[in-house]
Amino acid sequence: MTIVKTVNPKISKKTTGAGTNATKPIHRRRPKEETENLILHEAERLLIERLASGSDDLNPLASLRITDVLASINAKLSGDQLPMTTGAAYQIWKSQLSFQDAILERIMNEVSTPWEADLRSKLDAALSQELSLEEVLESVFGFNEPPNSTSDHELSLAIGLTAFVSPERIRRAEEIANDQYVRALGTILTDILNYADRRLLPGLRIDDMVWAIEGLYAGLHLRARSHPELVDRKDAKGRYLGPMVTNSIFIGLSEPVSQRGKESR
């Protein structure tokens, strides 16, 4: 735990040998969870800041040291706060590697489902208008993340780190995030399948469609960072590449359900 002084410290009085009262501030202990979250939050902020500034670090995670993060935190402390020490950090993470794994897991969790509420809102609006399947997919997946936004950089960071960190470490870091991602996007895709009176092809599961779409948008995201003009293209009808390919994936991995006299949308 780190120790910080309270902003308005209580005063402990002690009588000295000369008969005068000496005062000293009473300190409070910062809970371990609070310390851990503070350090990880600052670590993620530094990584995103470096990415946004165009850093050429091949592996930004490996280049970020605990001491870098602590120095950044301490530079922002007010005058009545004691600096955070490496000893406090190493009470939480026993090594630089375990610290990096914690950052990696945090980043993967951050990017797993922040879009869920937005996609759900768009889907509900599209279904209420009884749009065609193609129009529903366009409404839900026809979005572009604002460039240079925090979530945009977080996604770039998450995708990039998977190329430099060992597969075993990635699997551990994504264990919870992947479950959340499949649950969120899988539910949305299932609702669209039901709306369109379609079902997955025999032998396929909803997570097969989830990962196919995830692969598409991860690729488009990376290409947009270096060659945005290649991604920001439309066909003659004004449709973007992402929703068009998503439609192809959706149709290609599913089939119509027997309609029993009900016309398919």
Side-chain angles (χ1 to χ4, degrees), residues 45-237:
R45 190 194 67 78
L46 287 175
L47 286 172
I48 291 175
E49 183 180 82
R50 293 179 181 183
L51 182 65
S53 66
S55 172
D56 288 329
D57 288 336
L58 289 178
N59 187 346
L61 185 62
S63 66
L64 183 67
R65 317 298 296 180
I66 291 180
T67 50
D68 298 333
V69 180
L70 296 180
S72 181
I73 293 174
N74 290 336
K76 302 173 185 177
L77 296 179
S78 58
D80 63 347
Q81 291 180 302
L82 295 176
M84 192 173 291
T85 65
T86 54
Y90 282 114
Q91 287 181 17
I92 302 173
W93 304 285
K94 301 305 180 184
S95 67
Q96 177 71 25
L97 186 63
S98 61
F99 171 61
Q100 292 172 353
D101 282 342
I103 300 173
L104 185 61
E105 182 175 355
R106 178 187 176 92
I107 292 171
M108 295 307 178
N109 288 332
E110 288 286 332
V111 301
S112 62
T113 58
W115 41 264
E116 182 179 7
D118 183 51
L119 260 63
R120 170 55 62 182
S121 175
K122 291 178 178 178
L123 176 59
D124 290 345
L127 299 188
S128 67
Q129 298 176 58
E130 299 186 352
L131 301 179
S132 67
L133 172 59
E134 184 176 0
E135 290 172 327
V136 169
L137 293 172
E138 171 70 29
S139 298
V140 175
F141 295 101
F143 66 93
N144 292 314
E145 189 68 47
N148 297 318
S149 65
T150 297
S151 56
D152 179 69
H153 290 311
E154 283 178 337
L155 183 56
S156 296
L157 192 59
I159 296 173
L161 290 176
T162 60
F164 292 102
V165 179
S166 70
E168 292 76 16
R169 292 175 68 190
I170 290 295
R171 289 179 70 91
R172 289 197 302 269
E174 289 187 327
E175 185 174 358
I176 296 176
N178 282 353
D179 288 343
Q180 294 174 337
Y181 185 75
V182 170
R183 174 197 57 76
L185 186 53
T187 299
I188 288 174
L189 292 172
T190 298
D191 288 347
I192 299 176
L193 283 169
N194 292 335
Y195 173 79
D197 299 318
R198 299 184 69 86
R199 63 188 175 195
L200 291 167
L201 294 176
L204 295 183
R205 303 178 311 192
I206 195 63
D207 49 321
D208 294 318
M209 184 178 286
V210 167
W211 295 126
I213 292 175
E214 189 257 5
L216 162 66
Y217 279 94
L220 288 175
H221 179 86
L222 288 179
R223 180 54 60 190
R225 291 197 70 229
S226 58
H227 298 80
E229 71 280 2
L230 299 182
V231 175
D232 192 28
R233 289 177 54 80
K234 303 177 184 179
D235 69 356
K237 296 181 179 180

Side-chain angles (χ1 to χ4, degrees), residues 220-259:
L220 288 175
H221 179 86
L222 288 179
R223 180 54 60 190
R225 291 197 70 229
S226 58
H227 298 80
E229 71 280 2
L230 299 182
V231 175
D232 192 28
R233 289 177 54 80
K234 303 177 184 179
D235 69 356
K237 296 181 179 180
R239 298 174 299 180
Y240 283 100
L241 294 177
M244 291 173 63
V245 181
T246 300
N247 184 72
S248 298
I249 292 174
F250 192 90
I251 297 298
L253 299 185
S254 65
E255 63 184 8
V257 175
S258 298
Q259 296 304 302

Side-chain angles (χ1 to χ4, degrees), residues 32-49:
K32 177 182 177 181
E33 294 76 11
E34 184 180 341
T35 300
E36 180 178 3
N37 186 64
L38 176 62
I39 294 176
L40 290 178
H41 175 79
E42 186 65 13
E44 183 183 7
R45 190 194 67 78
L46 287 175
L47 286 172
I48 291 175
E49 183 180 82

